[in-house]
Amino acid sequence: MVLSRADLVLVTSQAMALVIADQWRISEGITKVVSWGVSSLFLEQTDPSSIPESHSVRARLGVSPDDLLVVAPRGISRTYRSDELRQAFAAARSGRKDLRLVVLGADAEGATAGDGEVLLPYLPKPELAELFAAADLVVSIPPDDQRSTTVLEAAASGAALVLSDIHPYRELIQLGIEATLVGEPVGPFLCAVLAQAGRMEPEASQRNRSLMRLHEDQQRQMAQVVCLCITED
């Protein structure tokens, strides 16, 4: 009902625009695709390996420079399939002890950390930027999503991306983002990716950062949103 009365519908992926048009019969003419962008905290980072804070972040987490640091920033919930993620990590870690996993979104009474895991609450943006700069892989495997700001922030930080094979994430691949997509069932596919994972090539990392600066600057994106609202008004 709300959508049918709207003058403007803002979504962050082409896939969601199609869902709105097909399932709710909302005119494509009033639907605009624009993401919320990435803040300068992430866009202004240089080569993450050159940032001193990344070494101190790893030290605080008990992660050595030789370990492969995997970060799951989307939360401990069914929505982000954290159970499958942690099971895949445990299976992959049984064959390579250099894997370390940080999962965000755990509350004080949350799940118990397994071997090689650290569970943290959600972090403020400055601390998240430091964590992404220290990470080797960032994992996001929900069964559905739009264009996630968190995933864009990870790309802007130069970390390798491991994502579920869904339409909005394929749009990132089409944009030119370097990422690994895992199919269904995600558990076995993710386990195989983690078991073979290595550090991202510097050229690919720089390409992701450059694409985020070019397409996802938050100030430009918000200006575009304001312009759309003023025009529709």
Side-chain angles (χ1 to χ4, degrees):
M1 181 180 67
V2 171
L3 288 173
S4 66
R5 295 181 178 181
D7 297 307
L8 175 66
V9 179
L10 295 177
V11 296
T12 63
S13 72
Q14 294 289 346
M16 181 55 69
L18 291 175
V19 167
I20 289 175
D22 293 343
Q23 295 188 11
W24 287 294
R25 302 291 186 258
I26 303 302
S27 169
E28 292 186 37
I30 68 167
T31 303
K32 305 297 181 184
V33 179
V34 53
S35 75
W36 305 127
V38 178
S39 78
S40 59
L41 277 171
F42 301 88
L43 295 176
E44 291 173 358
Q45 290 179 349
T46 56
D47 181 357
S49 63
S50 69
I51 299 175
E53 289 82 357
S54 67
H55 303 297
S56 62
V57 168
R58 281 180 168 252
R60 289 198 301 270
L61 296 171
V63 178
S64 81
D66 296 327
D67 288 334
L68 195 79
L69 178 56
V70 182
V71 175
R74 306 297 300 280
I76 296 181
S77 70
R78 291 182 179 179
T79 302
Y80 298 114
R81 301 198 275 203
S82 62
D83 287 346
E84 290 96 325
L85 187 155
R86 297 176 70 194
Q87 289 166 9
F89 171 81
R93 181 170 161 77
S94 67
R96 54 178 301 185
K97 296 300 182 183
D98 63 322
L99 289 177
R100 296 291 187 273
L101 175 66
V102 173
V103 184
L104 301 186
D107 58 31
E109 300 178 357
T112 303
D115 182 37
E117 292 184 6
V118 177
L119 305 183
L120 298 176
Y122 286 120
L123 300 176
K125 290 294 185 183
E127 294 179 30
L128 182 62
E130 290 183 356
L131 178 60
F132 281 169
D136 294 305
L137 274 71
V138 174
V139 179
S140 179
I141 53 168
D144 199 7
D145 204 356
Q146 290 198 55
R147 181 170 287 195
S148 162
T149 295
T150 303
V151 171
L152 299 180
E153 290 167 345
S157 300
L161 301 175
V162 180
L163 310 173
S164 47
D165 189 4
I166 56 178
H167 287 293
Y169 291 169
R170 289 181 212 139
E171 291 176 22
L172 296 179
I173 302 292
Q174 293 169 358
L175 181 66
I177 293 298
E178 183 88 12
T180 299
L181 300 182
V182 294
E184 300 290 343
V186 295
F189 280 100
L190 180 59
C191 178
V193 169
L194 294 176
Q196 301 173 26
R199 286 183 166 82
M200 197 172 192
E201 291 294 330
E203 295 80 5
S205 182
Q206 181 57 45
R207 184 162 57 251
N208 280 2
R209 291 196 295 270
S210 297
L211 283 167
M212 291 299 95
R213 294 190 189 102
L214 180 63
H215 295 286
E216 296 293 345
D217 181 275
Q218 191 172 72
Q219 291 185 340
R220 288 200 302 266
Q221 295 301 95
M222 289 301 100
Q224 185 178 352
V225 170
V226 170
C227 182
L228 286 169
C229 292
I230 292 174
T231 302
E232 292 301 320
D233 186 55

